[in-house]
Amino acid sequence: MTYRYRVATIFLMGFFIDCINLFMPTVALPRIAAEFAIGNASSAWVGNAYMLGLTLAVPVSTWLANRWGARRLLSAAMLAFSVAVWGCGEAQSFAALIAWRLVQGMAGGLLIPVGQALTFELFQGPERARVSTLVMAVALLAPALSPTLGGLIVDHGRWPWVFHSNIPLALLTAALAWAWLDQAPGPTAPRPDFKGLLLVSAALACLLLGLSLYGAGHGALLATACLLAGVSCALLYRTHYQRAATGIVELKLLASPRLRVSMQVYHAIPGVFTGVNLLNIFYLQDVLQLSAQATGLFMLLYAAGAFAAMLLAGRLYNRVGAARLLLLGMLMHSLGICLLVMVETPADNALLMAAYGLMGIGGGIGANTAQTTALLDFGGERMPQASVLWNLNRQMAFSVGAALLLMIFNLLLVGLSTPDAYHLTFSLAALLGLAPLMTLHTLPPENPRHA
């Protein structure tokens, strides 16, 4: 195997590990919530902590790789990841589990951008397109397989093995990185904006904490204080950004309507779906008494629909245009969520299959179109800056979507029965998924050079 394919293999293995750790623990959340005696709003922090870890690590990963060398960094990151997943499975309290998930996310955040940069530097032109296809395949394969495998583990074993099962692959990736990658550090890179990174991370953490506390019934005063702290950190970052030469998040890039609309769509489709899927897992397991394995199987339909839709969207993009594809994606995705409102008994498998199929098709069209559109206006040194902003928004969409819908659900529980609260939350989620419709008209016409 040539050197560049060794690098690509390490990146794809790390990317696969990262993806399954976003989705596999989700099917175990009802068991985790029961064991630690926590509410479903608090259980969302199993995912939120991982996302916050990624947010902290991604912006500094390239700088660390240039200082230490990719070989040392990626090997150390995967070793740290292995220790963290072991710690997650052995956690004796929910606080310990969240702390280990934060470490796990930071380790994953060091590997992905460095591995991607190394791989894309070695593959140019049509070869890069083939590598991108492999990345897309991994991005679909992991969400399709990991919930099913996680459900098998939970039904026939114990939930800690959802985390422990990652250790062999993580150790193998660490060993291959040490054996295959070059040792030399890269060129000297400018010091990252650590103050900006802390302010952005604090803003996101306070926002998620405020939504979680309010939804879990801890009182409006404490939740409002957290939300105000989040807004304050965001405003402080804006002031810091205006004074600094460069920022960890380049706010001026939001002047691009393509990037701005694509970011909104990502919150409306993948972000909303994250919250809907998390709530539906609790609904299917706790209310309808379906097994974790049966719950995870529906993600296979989602992934199949998303894969077919991505292929279709790629072919139609230059002929139909981004606005029409985004409109179609949002409508189909919200229609799938609406079908969940009609699921009332364990026998409603046909509705569940149709719902996940439609959400997959709509999500595939919308997410693929947003991904394609987001960075069209950028090139040169602005491309990595736009990529950082896009990826941070992507991670925020997952966490905010889950926290917001769990808050809505828990507030509705005060005056409604549990099934009615689930169904009304799904209805509101379908409306939230259509929110960017009002901004589609701001997208500029397609440019022939983008074809």
Side-chain angles (χ1 to χ4, degrees):
M1 186 184 296
T2 62
Y3 178 73
R4 63 177 185 165
Y5 280 101
R6 291 179 178 180
V7 172
T9 299
I10 293 168
F11 164 57
L12 290 173
M13 289 175 65
F15 184 58
F16 180 78
I17 294 171
D18 177 65
C19 288
I20 63 176
N21 275 276
L22 291 175
F23 294 96
M24 185 181 286
T26 305
V27 296
L29 288 183
R31 306 292 177 88
I32 294 173
E35 180 161 329
F36 291 119
I38 58 171
N40 53 16
S42 298
S43 70
W45 278 92
V46 175
N48 290 342
Y50 188 81
M51 290 295 179
L52 286 172
L54 287 171
T55 302
L56 282 168
V58 165
V60 300
S61 57
T62 304
W63 177 69
L64 290 174
N66 288 332
R67 286 177 61 89
W68 297 346
R71 177 187 180 189
R72 290 176 179 171
L73 180 66
L74 298 190
S75 298
M78 282 296 95
L79 288 175
F81 192 96
S82 302
V83 173
V85 292
W86 176 260
C88 288
E90 296 300 307
Q92 298 300 307
S93 67
F94 187 66
L97 173 60
I98 296 308
W100 282 115
R101 281 289 279 177
L102 181 68
V103 175
Q104 188 186 0
M106 293 176 67
L110 292 176
L111 184 141
I112 303 306
V114 174
Q116 185 178 39
L118 288 173
T119 301
F120 279 31
E121 184 178 346
L122 295 171
F123 290 85
Q124 300 290 334
E127 292 179 328
R128 180 177 293 185
R130 286 195 288 270
V131 172
S132 297
T133 301
L134 290 175
V135 173
M136 182 183 295
V138 171
L140 287 173
L141 186 64
L145 296 181
S146 54
T148 306
L149 294 176
L152 280 170
I153 292 171
V154 172
D155 285 341
H156 301 286
R158 297 178 60 247
W159 67 261
W161 283 98
V162 169
F163 298 102
H164 289 165
S165 60
N166 290 276
I167 294 176
L169 188 56
L171 290 176
L172 176 60
T173 305
L176 292 179
W178 186 261
W180 284 356
L181 295 181
D182 290 339
Q183 175 67 24
T188 302
R191 186 174 181 268
D193 177 21
F194 286 111
K195 182 178 180 180
L197 175 61
L198 291 176
L199 288 173
V200 170
S201 300
L204 177 58
C206 290
L207 171 64
L208 295 175
L209 186 60
L211 292 175
S212 300
L213 290 174
Y214 191 58
H218 289 284
L221 185 60
L222 181 59
T224 302
C226 290
L227 293 174
L228 288 176
V231 173
S232 298
C233 288
L235 293 175
L236 285 173
Y237 175 76
R238 182 179 179 182
T239 302
H240 165 73
Y241 172 76
Q242 291 171 343
R243 296 174 179 174
T246 58
I248 203 73
V249 177
E250 288 289 348
L251 299 178
K252 63 185 177 183
L253 300 180
L254 293 175
S256 164
R258 288 191 174 95
L259 177 60
R260 194 169 59 246
V261 172
S262 297
M263 290 171 64
Q264 294 171 11
V265 169
Y266 221 86
H267 279 271
I269 296 183
V272 167
F273 173 76
T274 302
V276 166
N277 186 51
L278 178 57
L279 277 172
N280 199 47
I281 286 172
F282 277 97
Y283 178 62
L284 295 180
Q285 292 187 31
D286 291 348
V287 178
L288 301 188
Q289 300 298 308
L290 292 183
S291 67
Q293 181 183 352
T295 303
L297 282 172
F298 291 112
M299 280 299 296
L300 288 173
L301 295 170
Y302 179 89
F307 181 73
M310 284 182 177
L311 294 178
L312 178 64
R315 291 177 176 271
L316 294 179
Y317 186 87
N318 291 304
R319 286 191 291 174
V320 176
R324 292 178 181 176
L325 285 174
L326 291 174
L327 172 61
L328 178 61
M330 285 186 282
L331 290 175
M332 296 191 72
H333 183 256
S334 288
L335 178 59
I337 298 174
C338 287
L339 292 182
L340 293 178
V341 180
M342 303 167 64
V343 176
E344 296 181 345
T345 70
D348 291 330
N349 276 324
L351 280 174
L352 284 166
M353 293 170 66
Y356 272 87
L358 282 171
M359 287 189 292
I361 294 171
I365 293 174
N368 188 67
T369 303
Q371 176 78 51
T372 303
T373 304
L375 305 181
L376 283 180
D377 292 335
F378 306 104
E381 66 176 13
R382 295 210 306 166
M383 175 61 80
Q385 296 171 350
S387 179
V388 168
L389 181 57
W390 171 253
N391 281 286
L392 288 176
N393 178 77
R394 180 171 61 88
Q395 294 159 22
M396 288 175 58
F398 296 138
S399 295
V400 172
L404 178 61
L405 291 182
L406 282 168
M407 181 195 74
I408 293 172
F409 169 73
N410 281 286
L411 291 176
L412 292 176
L413 272 179
V414 176
L416 297 174
S417 67
T418 300
D420 288 343
Y422 276 112
H423 290 154
L424 183 53
T425 305
F426 291 148
S427 299
L428 295 174
L431 292 176
L432 286 173
L434 299 175
L437 289 177
M438 303 299 294
T439 63
L440 291 182
H441 71 279
T442 65
L443 286 172
E446 305 329 302
N447 191 327
R449 70 182 176 87
H450 294 151

